Amino acid sequence: MDVANEENPLEKQLTRLDVQEVAEDGSYGIEVRITDEKTLNELKNIFEQVKWYPTRQVLMASREDIKATLFMKLEENKPKKSFEYRIWFEKDQTATILSTNLMELNGTLDKENTEILIEELLKKR
């Protein structure tokens, strides 16, 4: 099993991803759990394309579109660690992502990868 250091969580093995759509009123939809290894690898590859800005603070004017919790295996024989990602899909078809990982904090994703991310996260399972 691949494991890595705390600074870059995507170097670790992504073992699960829980995703919820967020309604305009701020309520959360049904949580969907993704555990399929192929889908997790695709999502991991997409999140690796995010340009992170760990020193830039941002305030968003609206609620996020998606809340995703990524579960990572950090070390053998240790519990999994989770990182919450709040994702906004922008009018220009890119995404803004806020992370609970202080090494990432906030980032942006380009159009091409945002399209794939939307498809994977909102896929009906």
Side-chain angles (χ1 to χ4, degrees):
M1 178 174 288
D2 296 332
V3 294
N5 60 43
E6 182 83 12
E7 285 76 36
N8 184 356
L10 294 174
E11 288 182 3
K12 300 153 192 64
Q13 183 172 1
L14 179 60
T15 60
R16 183 176 113 205
L17 189 146
D18 295 348
V19 62
Q20 290 178 285
E21 287 186 64
V22 181
E24 286 184 30
D25 68 1
S27 63
Y28 291 97
I30 297 171
E31 185 174 82
V32 175
R33 181 171 290 174
I34 301 170
T35 57
D36 173 69
E37 191 171 328
K38 182 178 181 237
T39 303
L40 290 174
N41 282 332
E42 289 175 16
L43 288 165
K44 178 181 180 240
N45 291 336
I46 291 167
F47 280 109
E48 287 174 341
Q49 302 307 310
V50 174
K51 291 184 178 149
W52 294 108
Y53 303 97
T55 60
R56 184 177 75 181
Q57 293 285 337
V58 262
L59 295 173
M60 302 302 286
S62 63
R63 295 292 307 218
E64 68 270 26
D65 296 300
I66 296 285
K67 181 177 91 169
T69 306
L70 285 68
F71 293 85
M72 310 287 182
K73 182 73 174 174
L74 300 178
E75 297 177 36
E76 288 295 331
N77 304 316
K78 297 274 183 165
K80 294 175 188 160
K81 180 150 182 138
S82 65
F83 297 96
E84 186 176 288
Y85 288 65
R86 295 170 48 215
I87 305 168
W88 285 260
F89 300 123
E90 306 293 351
K91 288 183 168 103
D92 66 358
Q93 300 174 342
T94 62
T96 299
I97 303 171
L98 299 184
S99 171
T100 57
N101 179 352
L102 297 177
M103 299 304 290
E104 295 171 337
L105 201 53
N106 71 77
T108 58
L109 189 62
D110 63 29
K111 282 182 176 183
E112 180 182 328
N113 286 298
T114 296
E115 183 178 315
I116 298 166
L117 181 65
I118 289 170
E119 184 178 306
E120 288 299 324
L121 291 182
L122 300 179
K123 187 184 293 181
K124 300 301 178 200
R125 291 175 167 73

